[in-house]
């Protein structure tokens, strides 16, 4: 077997772990609950809903706070995208494992 084929199989077997690590990194960057608490907005949990973030973006007049909330929303979307990519790459991992 060629080196490219072996590298491709290794990529298939490791890709779910890679996407999971990236997803966790984006989740750690999302600090929306801290942003709400800094503005004296009480939240019931550390996982603030997307609708709450969007509502605060519409309501607030503070441009800096609005930009931070948009960035937190972007991190939340990237987190979800990486989790979906991880789930989609699991069958590829199984295929790569079988090909070994």
């Amino acid at each position: 077997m060629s080196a490219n084929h072996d590298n491709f199989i290794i990529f298939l077997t490791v890709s779910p772990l890679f996407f999971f690590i990236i997803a966790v990194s984006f989740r750690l960057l999302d600090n929306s609950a801290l942003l709400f608490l800094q503005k004296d907005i009480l939240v019931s949990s550390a996982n603030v809903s997307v609708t709450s973030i969007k509502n605060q973006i519409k309501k607030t007049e503070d441009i800096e706070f609005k930009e931070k909330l948009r960035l937190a929303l972007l991190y939340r979307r990237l987190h979800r995208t990486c989790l979906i990519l991880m789930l989609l790459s699991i069958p590829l991992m199984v295929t790569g494992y079988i090909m070994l």
Side-chain angles (χ1 to χ4, degrees), residues 13-83:
T13 56
V14 178
S15 61
L17 180 63
F18 172 74
F19 287 126
F20 179 73
I21 290 171
I22 298 298
V24 168
S25 301
F26 282 127
R27 182 64 185 145
L28 290 174
L29 287 172
D30 174 24
N31 59 351
S32 54
L34 176 66
L35 293 173
F36 278 99
L37 291 175
Q38 286 176 344
K39 287 291 185 177
D40 296 329
I41 302 170
L42 295 178
V43 290
S44 59
S45 71
N47 190 16
V48 179
S49 68
V50 174
T51 57
S52 297
I53 295 174
K54 287 181 181 179
N55 288 338
Q56 282 300 320
I57 289 174
K58 291 177 187 174
K59 289 180 185 178
T60 188
E61 297 295 325
D62 187 7
I63 296 172
E64 182 180 343
F65 180 59
K66 194 179 278 192
E67 291 300 317
K68 287 180 181 180
L69 284 177
R70 284 187 182 133
L71 188 61
L73 197 60
L74 174 69
Y75 288 148
R76 178 90 43 108
R77 289 178 181 153
L78 289 172
H79 166 75
R80 184 178 297 150
T81 303
C82 286
L83 283 179

Side-chain angles (χ1 to χ4, degrees), residues 1-16:
M1 293 199 191
S2 68
N4 289 335
H5 185 263
D6 290 341
N7 289 339
F8 182 68
I9 292 173
I10 290 171
F11 171 74
L12 288 180
T13 56
V14 178
S15 61

